[in-house]
Amino acid sequence: MIKKLALFLFFLVFSGYLFAQNPNIEIKKEKEVQNVHDIKDVKDAKNVKDEKKTFIDNLLSKMTLQEKAGQLRLISVGGDLTLDKVLDQIEAGEIGGIFNTVVEPDLFRMQERALKSPNKIPLFFGFDIIHGHRTVFPINLGIASTWDRGAIAKAAEVSAEEATSDGLNITWAPMVDITRDPRWGRVSEGFGEDPYLTSEAGRIFVQKMQKQSLADKKSLVTAVKHFALYGAVEGGREYNSTDMSERKMFQEYLVPYKAAIDAGSRAVMVSLVSVNGIPATANHWLLTEVLRNQWHFDGVVVSDHGAIRELINHGVASDPKDAVRVAIKAGIDMSMNDEYFLQFLPELVKEGAITEDEVNQACRRILELKYDMGLFSDPNRNLDPKLDIDTMFADNRLHREEARDVARRSIVLLKNENEILPLAKNKKIAVVGPLADSKRDILGSWAGAGRANLAVTPLEGIKSAVKNTKSVNYAFGANLSDDANLYRFLNLYGETAKFDNRPADKMIAEAVKIAQKSDVIIAFVGEAEGMAHESSSRTDLSLPASQKRLLKALKATGKPLVIALMNGRPLTLSEEYAQADAMLETWFLGTEGGNAIADVLFGDYNPSGKLPMSFPDNVGQIPVYYSHLNTGRPRGTENMGKYTTSYFDSPNEPLFPFGFGLSYTNFAMDFSLSSTEMNKEGEIVVTVNVENIGKKEGMQTVQLYLQDVTASVSRPVKELIGFENITLKPQSKGEVKFVIKYDMLKFWNDKMQYVAEPGKFNVFIGSDSTTQDKKTFTLLDK
């Protein structure tokens, strides 16, 4: 016994010595203790789960069928449904959630009435917070152009912080629809054409908005949308049909939804389109077999606005009651802008068309979400009945700085002949164009609760950046379009687009006059925000004739011409590209857009954005995207004559490829693989050497693409599987590493099995998707 005690004391002393010499041993000790905590955490988690189940079971047992149906209703105040009517229905227990209200005293009143309902079930409050709330960030296509996970995270974090401060609990975001047809107006809401880039953006939005716990007062529940395939509508026409093979769905279009759900998104919003002949809202295979059974999603499935009644138009429901039955059977939990659930659900249960268990299941998911949000313990969290509108939309300087940083990272330099950019701040500058001083347009579509009066226009940003504001002259130059119908269309959105009644030649003459007196012209042209919005599909992606005439006149002055695009989708710009000495894609950059543009124009920030969508040379090429399959007669095949996959009147290639973007400096890259062979348990390290060979500090996005050369089904010519950013000073070098793992080689094979097949793989490294810099490895069959 004495020997054992002596040994124990010796061990303690010796251990103390080792801890002092080697802190890693102390870390190991902490990890061992953490394992004990892990056991306790598991027990605590089980207790919490049991408590929640008991609470929900007890609540459901007390609720009438009418109240259960009420929980499945998501209502917007407005029209015939006045606030007073809504308050009465809330108190009767007939509403589960409210959307599109951001006036906090009204939210407080509604929650107070909910707490007077028979079972005192709190409401949750939702809003479309797509790319910012009070402080508006760039549109999502712009955010994706940063190719910067930190910038994406910042946009999501600030959005959630501001939204929850305004008493909101849930948002209908992120939108992760793969979009390869720029004719579709909602391209502006998404993250582009690529499954991997879109998945990364969606994953980050979910994690940064929801936080680790929904009980966190800054947690904003995400409803990833639009499930599924909304971005693949035929002809790019809004609300049109989608027809796609199961392999293409799972290999490409469903990937970002799955990534967002795996990241923990607690809600899903359903697409308004039909998928292979069955409307998504009525699609049992999509909502139950895939989403619930295969992906194990246990959150809330929300219909899109008015989608239940639209099942009648789709031809899969005979009348409103039948539409409710079809939706519930398919897997819808909650109806947005509901007209029929309360009216028909109890009746359908009594008739035996649906079971009360089916209603209970949907209701349980909504109650569980509210429980996890902490609403049952703190229903008024973040609600302030005295918060006035001015305070609610206060000007947050920190958030504005963060929005400015994300905005300038979103700008893509498309052309810079003779290094005309960046500009010196003592230049005489002509700022021209119908979008140069538009506060509303720079916010973009779905600008949430943002306020146009707080936005900085390009003209304002340029004036605040130069040494002498008198050196900046402005002319409107041209109306957005000559088409009166376009203005009527835009004004349907409440935009009140600016229209100058002067003759077109007078406006152009004014612009030419100031251009002739200037050292450089900056022309802001493109789209109004309402042209890149829901239900804003286009067949012609060129600039309107009025803007083309303006650019032609400006070019004729002989002055250097910088074209700054403001738009929410890829446009066809071959003519403008030829005219421009420099060209910037600025998208709709949000509240701080004008300052961000000035930062790039004058070189205070070196542009680093990369395109998340290919820009077609012409509309006839659509869909044009980088990760296409090869054909038996690929263009460029030797000795094939004209019999290749090509147009005789157009190039195959887009004007600007996916991943493209220039800088004020230049980079050189080379790379190596750690091995030319890989087995199932192995991995390959890709080491990329990057050198800034230019004269300015800059950031380069190193892009990693993969090609499965031979497989049981045709595989894309390239697929993005990784990207990393590196910032380097002039003439300095750096290194970026990627790790290729076995699971990254998997795909859906000829038997619809998710596998990796042995064989040859090409690895490409470059600054955009056109890179031909490749090396090869072989996946072994062992």
Side-chain angles (χ1 to χ4, degrees):
M1 181 68 186
I2 293 172
K3 287 183 179 179
K4 288 182 179 179
L5 181 60
L7 285 170
F8 179 69
L9 290 171
F10 174 77
F11 174 75
L12 286 178
V13 172
F14 186 64
S15 296
Y17 171 77
L18 286 179
F19 294 157
Q21 300 299 314
N22 187 356
N24 288 332
I25 294 180
E26 187 171 328
I27 292 171
K28 183 178 180 183
K29 178 187 174 192
E30 289 175 354
K31 288 182 178 177
E32 289 170 351
V33 172
Q34 184 61 46
N35 289 336
V36 176
H37 292 162
D38 287 346
I39 295 170
K40 182 177 182 295
D41 289 344
V42 169
K43 290 180 179 178
D44 288 346
K46 185 179 184 303
N47 290 338
V48 168
K49 188 175 181 180
D50 290 343
E51 288 173 7
K52 179 169 69 173
K53 184 178 184 305
T54 300
F55 180 87
I56 302 298
D57 286 346
N58 181 56
L59 188 54
L60 281 169
S61 70
K62 295 187 293 185
M63 294 172 68
T64 66
L65 189 54
Q66 191 87 349
E67 289 174 288
K68 292 172 185 175
Q71 283 299 304
L72 312 190
R73 300 179 70 221
L74 185 61
I75 296 301
S76 179
V77 180
D80 293 336
L81 202 56
T82 63
L83 179 58
D84 287 339
K85 287 182 181 178
V86 168
L87 289 170
D88 289 341
Q89 289 185 20
I90 289 170
E91 190 167 339
E94 295 176 351
I95 295 176
I98 300 291
F99 72 103
N100 281 357
T101 295
V102 289
V103 180
E104 205 158 331
D106 287 348
L107 296 179
F108 185 85
R109 286 179 65 194
M110 287 189 264
Q111 194 70 293
E112 289 295 291
R113 292 293 282 272
L115 299 179
K116 295 178 182 178
S117 64
N119 285 291
K120 299 178 173 54
I121 301 173
L123 302 163
F124 61 58
F125 302 109
F127 198 63
D128 285 283
I129 301 157
I130 308 300
H131 55 102
H133 183 55
R134 292 180 268 188
T135 306
V136 182
F137 283 76
I139 59 171
N140 287 359
L141 207 57
I143 291 173
S145 296
T146 68
W147 289 58
D148 186 325
R149 293 176 180 89
I152 296 167
K154 185 54 64 179
E157 285 174 342
V158 171
S159 299
E161 181 178 336
E162 292 189 347
T164 52
S165 295
D166 285 348
L168 300 170
N169 316 112
I170 187 170
T171 182
W172 324 122
M175 192 198 94
V176 296
D177 298 310
I178 296 296
T179 54
R180 292 174 175 172
D181 192 333
R183 293 173 296 181
W184 189 50
R186 300 191 82 163
V187 161
S188 62
E189 292 176 57
F191 300 107
E193 73 181 52
D194 182 68
Y196 179 72
L197 179 59
T198 299
S199 294
E200 282 293 273
R203 173 186 64 80
I204 292 167
F205 258 68
V206 170
Q207 291 174 342
K208 296 302 180 181
M209 282 184 156
Q210 283 195 169
K211 311 293 187 287
Q212 290 187 340
S213 169
L214 302 193
D216 186 326
K217 287 194 174 184
K218 294 301 178 186
S219 170
L220 185 70
V221 170
T222 57
V224 61
K225 66 183 186 184
H226 304 87
F227 191 68
L229 314 186
Y230 198 8
V233 286
E234 290 181 352
R237 193 170 75 247
E238 188 70 86
Y239 317 126
N240 205 0
S241 302
T242 299
D243 204 293
M244 185 181 294
S245 72
E246 193 172 330
R247 177 173 295 104
K248 194 171 185 69
M249 280 191 214
F250 280 90
Q251 191 65 47
E252 301 171 33
Y253 280 78
L254 294 183
V255 171
Y257 308 115
K258 179 67 161 53
I261 288 164
D262 287 346
S265 184
R266 287 294 301 273
V268 167
M269 178 177 279
V270 179
S271 169
L272 286 167
V273 302
S274 64
V275 176
N276 293 353
I278 305 172
T281 310
N283 201 314
H284 184 273
W285 173 81
L286 187 66
L287 302 184
T288 300
E289 294 179 37
V290 175
L291 184 61
R292 298 286 187 197
N293 299 344
Q294 293 182 34
W295 294 359
H296 309 294
F297 177 70
D298 61 357
V300 173
V301 175
V302 185
S303 80
D304 206 336
H305 195 284
I308 307 299
R309 68 171 177 270
E310 291 169 17
L311 294 178
I312 302 169
N313 293 339
H314 278 288
V316 297
S318 57
D319 54 38
K321 185 196 290 188
D322 195 37
V324 172
R325 177 192 64 81
V326 169
I328 289 290
K329 288 286 187 183
I332 295 292
D333 295 320
M334 198 169 205
S335 173
M336 175 177 274
N337 193 36
D338 173 69
E339 296 174 80
Y340 303 136
F341 268 34
L342 191 68
Q343 184 178 354
F344 295 115
L345 270 176
E347 192 176 324
L348 286 164
V349 171
K350 289 172 186 174
E351 293 172 355
I354 61 174
T355 67
E356 187 162 359
D357 282 345
E358 288 173 314
V359 177
N360 287 344
Q361 189 177 46
C363 188
R364 176 181 292 278
R365 293 185 186 117
I366 292 159
L367 296 175
E368 285 178 343
L369 182 59
K370 292 179 178 182
Y371 186 98
D372 292 342
M373 286 176 171
L375 290 175
F376 284 105
S377 58
D378 185 10
N380 288 323
R381 76 175 201 170
N382 298 330
L383 288 175
D384 182 353
K386 298 179 181 178
L387 191 66
D388 60 37
I389 295 295
D390 290 337
T391 304
M392 188 182 301
F393 299 111
D395 203 3
N396 188 311
R397 299 309 306 174
L398 174 60
H399 289 177
R400 289 186 73 119
E401 283 301 313
E402 290 168 329
R404 180 174 180 167
D405 186 51
V406 175
R408 60 192 182 187
R409 292 174 188 273
S410 300
I411 296 171
V412 185
L413 179 62
L414 300 174
K415 185 178 183 180
N416 194 23
E417 270 193 5
N418 302 318
E419 297 184 345
I420 185 175
L421 295 178
L423 301 173
K425 292 184 179 179
N426 59 358
K427 293 271 188 184
K428 293 180 181 178
I429 300 170
V431 178
V432 180
L435 297 168
D437 199 30
S438 173
K439 287 179 172 287
R440 180 64 194 90
D441 287 308
I442 202 160
L443 293 183
S445 63
W446 297 104
R451 287 295 181 263
N453 65 298
L454 297 178
V456 179
T457 70
L459 177 63
E460 291 170 335
I462 291 168
K463 281 187 171 182
S464 68
V466 297
K467 294 179 178 178
N468 179 6
T469 57
K470 292 182 179 179
S471 66
V472 178
N473 290 297
Y474 164 69
F476 188 65
N479 284 313
L480 193 71
S481 171
D482 299 322
D483 185 1
N485 287 327
L486 173 62
Y487 283 87
R488 282 192 286 271
F489 173 77
L490 291 175
N491 291 336
L492 291 174
Y493 288 96
E495 183 178 342
T496 317
K498 184 177 179 181
F499 183 84
D500 196 317
N501 288 312
R502 289 180 295 166
D505 58 345
K506 291 284 182 66
M507 287 189 281
I508 288 178
E510 178 186 52
V512 166
K513 184 177 180 180
I514 69 163
Q516 289 170 333
K517 297 178 181 178
S518 301
D519 298 318
V520 64
I521 307 162
I522 308 174
F524 288 88
V525 294
E527 301 179 298
E529 62 88 19
M531 294 170 69
H533 202 289
E534 181 176 356
S535 194
S536 294
S537 299
R538 295 180 65 181
T539 59
D540 182 355
L541 298 179
S542 61
L543 291 181
S546 58
Q547 297 184 54
K548 283 181 172 289
R549 289 194 302 269
L550 173 63
L551 290 175
K552 185 177 180 180
L554 295 173
K555 182 65 177 176
T557 66
K559 300 290 184 176
L561 176 62
V562 179
I563 296 179
L565 301 163
M566 288 175 60
N567 47 295
R569 52 154 66 85
L571 301 174
T572 52
L573 299 161
S574 297
E575 182 182 359
E576 290 74 24
Y577 182 72
Q579 291 171 326
D581 294 287
M583 180 178 277
L584 290 171
E585 175 54 83
T586 76
W587 312 109
F588 299 119
L589 289 177
T591 304
E592 281 289 320
N595 286 329
I597 290 169
D599 288 340
V600 168
L601 285 171
F602 297 111
D604 295 318
Y605 182 82
N606 188 347
S608 56
K610 302 285 188 178
L611 295 177
M613 280 188 79
S614 306
F615 274 49
D617 182 81
N618 58 76
V619 174
Q621 293 178 322
I622 296 172
V624 57
Y625 55 97
Y626 83 93
S627 58
H628 58 85
L629 302 182
N630 227 329
T631 77
R633 297 185 177 188
R635 185 178 179 185
T637 303
E638 292 181 11
N639 303 319
M640 289 289 287
K642 75 173 186 177
Y643 297 104
T644 60
T645 178
S646 59
Y647 303 102
F648 74 80
D649 62 346
S650 167
N652 279 11
E653 295 74 27
L655 179 63
F656 303 118
F658 173 81
F660 176 77
L662 303 175
S663 169
Y664 293 155
T665 191
N666 294 296
F667 298 92
M669 288 188 278
D670 63 75
F671 75 103
S672 61
L673 306 182
S674 60
S675 175
T676 57
E677 293 184 342
M678 176 178 167
N679 59 33
K680 292 180 181 179
E681 286 72 39
E683 60 184 33
I684 287 180
V685 178
V686 183
T687 302
V688 187
N689 299 306
V690 188
E691 183 179 3
N692 183 344
I693 58 175
K695 300 177 182 178
K696 297 180 184 297
E697 180 176 319
M699 186 178 86
Q700 176 66 293
T701 299
V702 182
Q703 300 169 32
L704 170 65
Y705 296 88
L706 191 74
Q707 180 191 23
D708 189 343
V709 179
T710 306
S712 58
V713 299
S714 292
R715 304 287 289 120
V717 295
K718 275 191 194 92
E719 292 179 289
L720 181 72
I721 63 166
F723 63 88
E724 294 295 338
N725 300 319
I726 183 170
T727 299
L728 295 171
K729 293 185 181 300
Q731 308 305 313
S732 65
K733 299 179 181 179
E735 188 179 86
V736 170
K737 287 184 181 288
F738 298 97
V739 179
I740 300 176
K741 298 183 178 181
Y742 180 74
D743 282 352
M744 298 166 70
L745 310 181
K746 289 182 175 180
F747 67 101
W748 294 92
N749 71 4
D750 56 332
K751 298 179 177 64
M752 278 305 292
Q753 299 164 327
Y754 193 56
V755 299
E757 294 179 349
K760 184 186 292 186
F761 289 81
N762 288 329
V763 178
F764 298 86
I765 287 289
S767 58
D768 64 54
S769 58
T770 64
T771 177
Q772 296 301 311
D773 190 4
K774 74 178 180 182
K775 298 189 183 300
T776 301
F777 72 89
T778 301
L779 177 64
L780 303 175
D781 189 15
K782 63 178 182 179

